[in-house]
Amino acid sequence: MENYFCMSLRVMSNFVKKYINEKITTMGLTSFQCGVLHYVYENTKNGAVVFQKNLEDFFVTSKSSMSDLLQSLESKGLIMRVSPENGDSRKKEITLTDEGKRMNDLTDKILDEVEQFFLSSLDEEEKEDLFKIFDKFNERMERKVWVLM
């Protein structure tokens, strides 16, 4: 079958997105918002700082799309954008509020369910192989994305 790889990837992606969205829409969030909350949580828990540009680069999205998403999260009380001590208000640090941390914990449980659903059908060697393949794909996509920009 032509394009079987692309079609299979699309079907799996749609399944994961649908499953996650069914769970998190009851919480008033989108999968993209959950991804941003998770990124901010993971990248600030050891004292590091996250800026909007970090999110734009990681999620390969435009400045305006990320700005809209951050405004939405801020209006829901899940993040704060704080001017750094040097006073450069153009570059605000993004941190989670207590409610943002609580939401992240809840959405992480949902993501764990999805991961468990897929990975439970694989043995340890297959899991290792799968993640090696994902790493190769991600590396190739990163190179390709930067060439297109």
Side-chain angles (χ1 to χ4, degrees):
M1 175 185 248
E2 285 186 41
N3 296 322
Y4 181 75
F5 168 78
C6 292
M7 287 175 41
S8 295
L9 198 56
R10 173 89 182 203
V11 167
M12 185 184 303
S13 174
N14 286 344
F15 172 81
V16 170
K17 194 174 193 177
K18 182 179 179 186
Y19 182 87
I20 291 170
N21 282 333
E22 283 176 4
K23 296 277 191 175
I24 63 173
T25 52
T26 61
M27 299 163 48
L29 296 173
T30 66
S31 57
F32 192 21
Q33 289 171 327
C34 290
V36 168
L37 289 177
H38 185 76
Y39 179 94
V40 173
Y41 176 79
E42 287 298 320
N43 288 280
T44 59
K45 66 183 179 185
N46 293 325
V49 177
V50 171
F51 297 103
Q52 179 173 330
K53 179 73 173 137
N54 302 122
L55 295 165
E56 292 164 12
D57 291 346
F58 183 80
F59 289 101
V60 191
T61 191
S62 69
K63 185 175 184 174
S64 62
S65 292
M66 187 54 67
S67 183
D68 290 346
L69 185 135
L70 292 174
Q71 285 175 358
S72 175
L73 290 174
E74 194 169 31
S75 72
K76 293 174 192 246
L78 302 177
I79 65 162
M80 291 185 307
R81 292 189 275 186
V82 181
S83 295
E85 292 184 18
N86 69 6
D88 185 356
S89 62
R90 294 171 298 165
K91 206 172 182 186
K92 293 185 178 178
E93 297 176 15
I94 299 165
T95 60
L96 295 184
T97 62
D98 288 341
E99 180 63 9
K101 290 174 187 172
R102 188 182 76 75
M103 276 297 188
N104 180 68
D105 290 345
L106 292 173
T107 58
D108 273 358
K109 289 178 184 170
I110 294 167
L111 295 176
D112 287 345
E113 286 177 27
V114 173
E115 190 172 298
Q116 181 59 30
F117 174 81
F118 281 104
L119 296 181
S120 65
S121 63
L122 303 176
D123 63 33
E124 289 305 313
E125 187 177 337
E126 290 170 323
K127 289 177 193 176
E128 286 178 27
D129 291 343
L130 177 65
F131 288 118
K132 284 178 187 174
I133 291 168
F134 282 168
D135 287 343
K136 283 184 178 184
F137 287 163
N138 286 332
E139 185 179 311
R140 183 161 178 79
M141 286 186 298
E142 286 175 7
R143 285 196 308 263
K144 184 70 170 174
V145 167
W146 295 121
V147 168
L148 296 174
M149 293 179 134

